[in-house]
Amino acid sequence: MLLAPLSGVTDLHMRRIAQRLGASAVVSEMVAAAELARGDAESQVRAEGEGVSPHVVQLAGCAENPMAEAARIAVDNGADAIDINMGCPAKTVTGGVAGSALMRDLDHAARLLAAVREAVAVPVTVKMRLGWDHASLNAPELARRAEALGLNGVTVHGRTRQQFYKGRADWSAIRAVVEATGLPVIANGDVTSLEDARACLAASGAAGVMVGRAAVGRPWLVGEIAAGLAGRTLAPLSAEARVAAATEHYEGLIALYGQAMGVRHARKHLAAYADAAGPGALNPADRRRLVTTSDPADALGLLRRAFLDPAFLDPASAATTIGEAA
Ligand SMILES: Cc1cc2nc3c(=O)[nH]c(=O)nc-3n(C[C@H](O)[C@H](O)[C@H](O)COP(=O)(O)O)c2cc1C
């Protein structure tokens, strides 16, 4: 059970927490190879993996030299594996013939895979979609080429590039990739629960499952599904443990980026944590305050309220509640 790379989301702290809570592996958000190769500071932060093991760095790019150089830099900085992005549908990435646009030119894609494979001794994997569109479902062919080039695994998001995120991920279409290659195949797309993971594995025949969006605000989800798949009954994480994870994440972002930028980075996570705490955990005004406040103490107090019944935890508020009841 893996945590998917989510650009702007799966920062170092989210990956650390997801892994500590049971994810088998986590993947960095994509790092533009050319930027990492020229020493860009923000790319270095994205590729950071202290406390994460295995530390997998995902690279996106369209030219062999920067891809190879970025892979070497990532490994020198502690990466245990390199994943190559051939699935991103974004125009800024595909415009530069990177991400899923590479699935329109498998010879070019193969040259990039070969360049990275030759550059580093650690495992190299590739994450792809089913194809560019339904007329060209060439993920099995790309996986075969990856295997022939000595790569170590593939992840397939069960949509085409032209679907972006529309429709449902087609888990059964991933089976064609499993049948085309001896490499381990990880299936991805729309898995939000243990039941989904079981159905995805059954339909695809994949060796593992990768979860992205459903884990935002719930970094414990991947580990919970992993435990379920392993047949272990895991008591759900307590509300205290959830708020501790969310707090660690928030404080970690501030430590990583500094307060001003850390607070901005944290907003999407705070919104997701509040939503994960349950519908109506915060009233609309407090939810708005949670995602707009630049005061960390205020945000952390609201986060606690979202996850924990304040009447039981905050003596002042408990007194008011009891007083009102009386
Ligand atoms: C906000 C966002 C950012 C993403 N960033 C990346 C990325 O950096 N690299 C990548 O390979 N895929 C990226 N993806 C795709 C996800 O890894 C995953 O393939 C997709 O969301 C489907 O899985 P899910 O339904 O579990 O979210 C991104 C998706 C989203 C929604």
Side-chain angles (χ1 to χ4, degrees):
M1 282 301 309
L2 292 88
L3 176 69
L6 297 173
S7 184
V9 180
T10 49
D11 49 71
L12 172 65
H13 294 281
M14 181 168 173
R15 283 179 279 135
R16 264 191 204 162
I17 294 164
Q19 181 151 65
R20 201 179 58 236
L21 297 177
S24 328
V26 296
V27 184
S28 82
E29 48 189 315
M30 67 177 159
V31 178
E35 289 173 17
L36 187 65
R38 68 167 171 264
D40 172 65
E42 203 179 312
S43 302
Q44 285 166 356
V45 173
R46 286 170 154 240
E48 177 60 64
E50 200 191 328
V52 169
S53 175
H55 170 33
V56 185
V57 172
Q58 189 188 64
L59 297 176
C62 56
E64 291 154 62
N65 284 345
M67 284 292 276
E69 182 56 17
R72 276 191 288 268
I73 290 170
V75 171
D76 285 348
N77 289 335
D80 299 307
I82 301 292
D83 186 52
I84 301 173
N85 183 324
M86 295 198 176
C88 180
K91 288 208 165 61
T92 48
V93 176
T94 53
V97 198
S100 60
L102 290 161
M103 297 196 74
R104 299 181 95 180
D105 183 351
L106 292 194
D107 290 337
H108 185 178
R111 284 195 295 276
L112 292 184
L113 298 181
V116 174
R117 175 64 293 166
E118 282 160 24
V120 292
V122 300
V124 178
T125 55
V126 55
K127 181 164 176 285
M128 61 184 79
R129 289 193 172 225
L130 294 173
W132 178 260
D133 57 22
H134 278 94
S136 57
L137 298 178
N138 56 4
E141 174 60 18
L142 181 55
R144 262 194 299 270
R145 290 200 185 203
E147 183 173 12
L149 290 166
L151 268 73
N152 304 86
V154 302
T155 301
V156 186
H157 174 187
R159 286 186 175 85
T160 66
R161 187 277 183 185
Q162 293 299 58
Q163 285 181 288
F164 286 85
Y165 291 91
K166 294 200 198 80
R168 292 282 304 165
D170 184 351
W171 299 327
S172 57
I174 298 172
R175 187 171 281 279
V177 184
V178 173
E179 286 168 359
T181 172
L183 293 178
V185 175
I186 305 297
N188 165 244
D190 296 345
V191 172
T192 64
S193 64
L194 175 59
E195 292 66 40
D196 284 348
R198 286 207 176 105
C200 174
L201 288 170
S204 64
V209 175
M210 179 181 268
V211 173
R213 289 166 294 175
V216 184
R218 296 189 292 169
W220 45 83
L221 177 70
V222 186
E224 283 180 357
I225 296 177
L229 287 177
R232 282 182 284 125
T233 38
L234 200 68
L237 207 61
S238 70
E240 273 290 356
R242 288 171 192 225
V243 83
T247 300
E248 175 188 336
H249 193 175
Y250 185 75
E251 290 176 339
L253 286 173
I254 289 176
L256 190 64
Y257 291 108
Q259 183 162 325
M261 206 201 286
V263 163
R264 276 203 303 281
H265 266 272
R267 284 187 175 141
K268 54 178 130 9
H269 293 293
L270 291 176
Y273 282 120
D275 294 344
L282 287 179
N283 66 42
D286 282 343
R287 191 181 183 283
R288 216 170 19 255
R289 201 172 103 213
L290 175 69
V291 298
T292 51
T293 182
S294 46
D295 173 5
D298 191 27
L300 290 175
L302 287 162
L303 206 50
R304 280 192 78 73
R305 278 213 354 239
F307 278 98
L308 306 165
D309 182 347
F312 292 102
L313 290 149
D314 172 3
S317 130
T320 317
T321 313
I322 292 161
E324 277 166 6

